[in-house]
Amino acid sequence: MADGLLPGDHRAAAIATIGTWLMDDLGALPLGTDVLWAYAGDATDGWRLGFEAVDRQVVVDLVVTSDFPYAKPQLFWVNAPAFPSIPHIEPNGRICILNAAATIDPLEPVKVASTLLADAEDVIATGLRGDNHDDFRTEFRSYWNEVAKGRDVISIVDPCEASRTVWGWVGKDIIVIAEERRSLRHWLRNALGKNAADNSIIPVPLLWLRQPLAPQEYPRCETELAAIAASIDPGAVQIYEAAISDEVEANLVLLGAPLPDGGACFGAVTLARRSTRFPRADRRVKGFRSNVPQSLLRLARRQDAVTLSPVARADPWWVHGRDAQDDLEELLGASITMIGCGSLGSPIARLLAQAGVGEINLIGPERVTVANVGRHGL
């Protein structure tokens, strides 16, 4: 593009340049406003084109927004398979191209679009061949959270191996899962006040997997969830069976796994009872001389409805360094006493807490006054 143009002229020239190249060289067709409105709210121009990938005709839309050419064009796979089938393809068909921002040059719109199209072809072809399906596991949180429609779960569970029983609290709006009852009650009091009810604390089986689940492995029914427990080891099955209670209408299950690049990920599952024929194991039901056999109770639980929930980690390993702080164990075990909590001490105390120091004892005889508000941590 010629230098010395105003920003609006730059934009018009860039759109004209990229449009001419797409239509003349690649046979693209311009998109109408009805199609553009289905994309980002500020989509202004777009073109549709096709190419062959792994013996399949692929149709993509290249769309630019009001920030173009200073923002990269977006690419959408029009005839994409249902989400999540191919890594890096979002539910609306948008193609996520890694490191594409590094190639943006607002003075070279054709070069930018050409690079993005080449990268999009590579992502689609690699996905259709199945060569990048391990990315589903590497980016487990992104794909699980996209399909998880249950209530949000906050986890303060230690991200360490071994299946075990942890504890969960089911509130009106959120679910909190912690390593121990005591730490759960402490967290609830701090977050919700001293009157936070704890009578709804229930045992939660944590099933620790060898690797994160791929989308085709997400549990759709109780039978598949039980099969996940069985795939770990007999101990995981015992933990799972022991924590599934007939005393509550819905049970929680926490799934954890190490990530390939380090750290851990979690997903939560709610089992809601569909069958009320056998309400509890210790109750007699018409047709049985004694209590309902466990085998029949287990069979009835296979009808439970499964709901996936996103998990937000609030444990120290995630809060302090996103699983990458090597000295966190030492910091969590440290105890520091500070004498003086004024304009210097208070921000230092805040930094110590943000770093992950486990215990901070603060000693300061002064009261915070209006004059100190601008320089005090409080």
Side-chain angles (χ1 to χ4, degrees):
M1 284 187 297
D3 293 331
L5 296 177
L6 296 174
D9 295 331
H10 259 307
R11 187 179 187 299
I15 290 176
T17 301
I18 193 176
T20 299
W21 172 72
L22 286 167
M23 292 186 289
D24 291 352
D25 291 15
L26 301 181
L29 298 174
L31 298 176
T33 54
D34 56 333
V35 178
L36 291 171
W37 285 343
Y39 291 129
D42 59 346
T44 61
D45 299 87
W47 300 264
R48 178 164 293 179
L49 63 152
F51 54 84
E52 185 122 340
V54 194
D55 300 325
R56 174 173 177 166
Q57 188 64 25
V58 172
V59 178
V60 299
D61 286 346
L62 187 148
V63 175
V64 300
T65 65
S66 56
D67 294 330
F68 181 78
Y70 306 102
K72 71 177 184 294
Q74 298 183 37
L75 286 162
F76 297 86
W77 187 357
V78 177
N79 55 342
F83 178 88
S85 303
I86 305 293
H88 311 299
I89 307 299
E90 296 184 355
N92 63 351
R94 191 171 81 90
I95 307 169
C96 297
I97 302 169
L98 302 180
N99 301 322
T103 66
I104 290 177
D105 183 349
L107 301 180
E108 297 286 351
V110 171
K111 183 181 293 186
V112 170
S114 177
T115 301
L116 292 175
L117 282 169
D119 290 346
E121 289 187 37
D122 181 63
V123 167
I124 291 174
T126 304
L128 289 173
R129 289 194 301 266
D131 295 342
N132 64 350
H133 276 205
D134 280 347
D135 292 351
F136 279 135
R137 305 186 193 278
T138 304
E139 301 177 28
F140 170 83
R141 282 187 292 264
S142 298
Y143 296 103
W144 177 279
N145 290 351
E146 188 64 48
V147 301
K149 305 303 180 185
R151 274 191 293 176
D152 292 344
V153 173
I154 297 175
S155 170
I156 51 176
V157 170
D158 295 347
C160 57
E161 296 186 17
S163 297
R164 57 195 184 274
T165 299
V166 292
W167 299 90
W169 176 83
V170 181
K172 182 179 179 181
D173 300 313
I174 61 169
I175 297 171
V176 184
I177 301 179
E179 197 71 38
E180 302 170 345
R181 283 177 180 264
R182 182 172 175 271
S183 59
L184 179 54
R185 290 193 182 101
H186 182 71
W187 193 95
L188 290 172
R189 283 196 299 270
N190 285 339
L192 306 177
K194 62 180 182 180
N195 295 323
D198 62 1
N199 55 356
S200 55
I201 293 179
I202 59 174
V204 177
L206 167 56
L207 303 180
W208 192 263
L209 309 169
R210 296 176 182 85
Q211 60 181 353
L213 299 175
Q216 65 270 21
E217 299 167 337
Y218 296 169
R220 296 164 296 178
C221 61
E222 194 279 334
T223 303
E224 292 183 359
L225 192 58
I228 290 175
S231 71
I232 300 173
D233 55 45
V237 175
Q238 293 178 358
I239 292 168
Y240 173 75
E241 296 282 1
I244 300 301
S245 169
D246 293 293
E247 299 293 329
V248 296
E249 291 300 319
N251 288 113
L252 297 173
V253 179
L254 188 63
L255 304 176
L259 287 169
D261 297 331
C265 60
F266 291 97
V269 180
T270 300
L271 290 174
R273 287 171 53 187
R274 277 180 174 161
S275 174
T276 58
R277 182 184 174 192
F278 308 128
R280 277 174 45 179
D282 59 351
R283 291 181 181 171
R284 295 189 179 184
V285 177
K286 187 175 181 180
F288 294 91
R289 292 183 178 179
S290 59
N291 297 339
V292 181
Q294 285 290 341
S295 58
L296 287 180
L297 283 170
R298 193 71 192 82
L299 187 63
R301 294 308 299 261
R302 291 182 181 175
Q303 302 177 33
D304 286 1
V306 168
T307 303
L308 310 185
S309 286
V311 175
R313 287 181 56 188
D315 59 85
W317 289 268
W318 182 253
V319 171
H320 304 291
R322 300 296 190 267
D323 286 332
Q325 189 164 327
D326 295 334
D327 59 350
L328 184 59
E329 290 281 359
E330 182 179 354
L331 286 169
L332 290 174
S335 178
I336 293 178
T337 298
M338 284 186 54
I339 301 176
C341 307
S343 58
L344 179 61
S346 65
I348 292 176
R350 175 179 59 81
L351 291 173
L352 290 171
Q354 289 177 326
V357 173
E359 181 180 339
I360 305 174
N361 301 297
L362 304 176
I363 302 174
E366 303 289 335
R367 293 182 65 87
V368 178
T369 64
V370 174
N372 292 325
V373 169
R375 57 181 184 172
H376 198 281
L378 291 179

